[in-house]
Amino acid sequence: MEKKILFLDLDGTLLNDRKEITPGNRAAIERAMGMGHQVVVTSGRPLQSALLQARRLGLAGEGCYVIAYNGAVIYDCSQGREIFRRTLDNESLYRVFDEARRRNVHIQAYDADDTVVIERRCDPAVARRYCAGIELDFRVTEDIRTGLTAPSVKALMIDFQDHEPVADMERWVLANMGGQADCFFSSRYYLEVVPVGMSKGGAVQELCRVLDVPRENTVAVGDEANDVTMILAAGMGVAMCNAVPEAKAAAGYVTERDNNHDGIAEVIERFLF
């Protein structure tokens, strides 16, 4: 049997609504890895948060990789090193922050992969809620221009109450930042701004190139708009039945079971065993 690489989104896909992996999904993954298949955690989360989940899931050993920041970082777990990284240039980051500030939209950047950075005018309760989900800390600065020690891989805009302000920001980024940055939603609440050309699909292609694995030997599973590119890039693209319509439309297969009921086990049983 040909060995395959399974690319798995975390939130809403591999993890249930309580941010846990179900026993059925865990057992199926362990069996797949025992048969020689590879599983790659593929997330919009910062690297340290994605690595934390990978380690908990037993997916950070020999032959394991993590894709973080929606494809802008690829990390070789067994070697303990990055094999790919792309950051937002400061000019693009500052432009997006300035516009979000003008519109009073919450926006944050990432420093050293383990700290979220917000400006003082933002609501710390929003950052606290977000950081609780990814298990990282946040820091407050007066101005993002002086608040980072290293280039940020992405920016993230959040509104837990109203979708329209972040939807308006998406339209602004697309109209004004062409050739500098790309943006897309990773949930109804989260608008991601990433270096131009960066995506989970691009990371799937890059890792296949590095590992010399034909893309027809890959399966990718996701549930949100930021998963569409990897669903399209994989040999078999799968959307969870709880996925957004865009992900389902891009997929070659839609699961019958959702993220709370062993949906990944269903994928593994159908396409890897």
Side-chain angles (χ1 to χ4, degrees), residues 8-10 12-16 20-21 25 29 57 59 264:
L8 294 178
D9 172 57
L10 286 175
T13 300
L14 176 58
L15 302 179
N16 63 19
E20 301 167 339
I21 184 170
N25 280 349
I29 287 173
L57 299 170
L59 301 176
I264 294 305

Side-chain angles (χ1 to χ4, degrees), residues 2 34 57 63 89 92 123 139 199 227 268 270:
E2 284 187 317
L57 299 170
D89 66 273
S92 297
D123 184 354
R139 185 175 74 244
S199 68
D227 298 317
I268 291 171
R270 187 175 182 93

Side-chain angles (χ1 to χ4, degrees), residues 96 99-100 103 105 107 157 164-174 183 191:
V96 176
E99 186 64 21
R103 296 166 180 252
V105 172
I107 187 170
M157 283 168 273
E164 281 310 303
V166 284
D168 285 342
M169 277 299 308
E170 179 191 34
R171 289 187 280 270
W172 183 88
V173 172
L174 293 175
C183 70
L191 178 63

Side-chain angles (χ1 to χ4, degrees), residues 172-204:
W172 183 88
V173 172
L174 293 175
N176 293 277
M177 301 290 290
Q180 296 175 283
D182 288 334
C183 70
F184 40 74
F185 281 92
S186 57
S187 81
R188 180 174 177 80
Y189 311 119
Y190 299 157
L191 178 63
E192 312 265 351
V193 180
V194 300
V196 67
M198 292 299 97
S199 68
K200 289 186 178 184
V204 167

Side-chain angles (χ1 to χ4, degrees), residues 137-152:
D137 293 327
F138 72 94
R139 185 175 74 244
V140 178
T141 184
E142 291 297 334
D143 190 307
I144 198 63
R145 287 169 173 80
T146 57
L148 298 176
T149 64
S152 184

Side-chain angles (χ1 to χ4, degrees), residues 69 109-117 139 147-152:
Y69 293 115
Y110 297 81
D111 198 20
D113 292 327
D114 60 5
T115 305
V116 171
V117 180
R139 185 175 74 244
L148 298 176
T149 64
S152 184

Side-chain angles (χ1 to χ4, degrees), residues 9-22 26 43 45 49 52-53 56-57 129-135 160 186-187 189-190 223-224 259-260:
D9 172 57
L10 286 175
D11 302 294
T13 300
L14 176 58
L15 302 179
N16 63 19
D17 291 346
R18 298 174 63 183
K19 307 298 183 182
E20 301 167 339
I21 184 170
T22 63
R26 183 180 292 277
S43 178
R45 293 186 182 205
S49 178
L52 179 64
Q53 285 293 341
R56 286 175 177 166
L57 299 170
R129 176 175 170 180
Y130 168 82
C131 287
I134 64 169
E135 300 180 74
F160 289 120
S186 57
S187 81
Y189 311 119
Y190 299 157
D223 71 302
E224 279 288 351
N259 64 307
N260 293 312

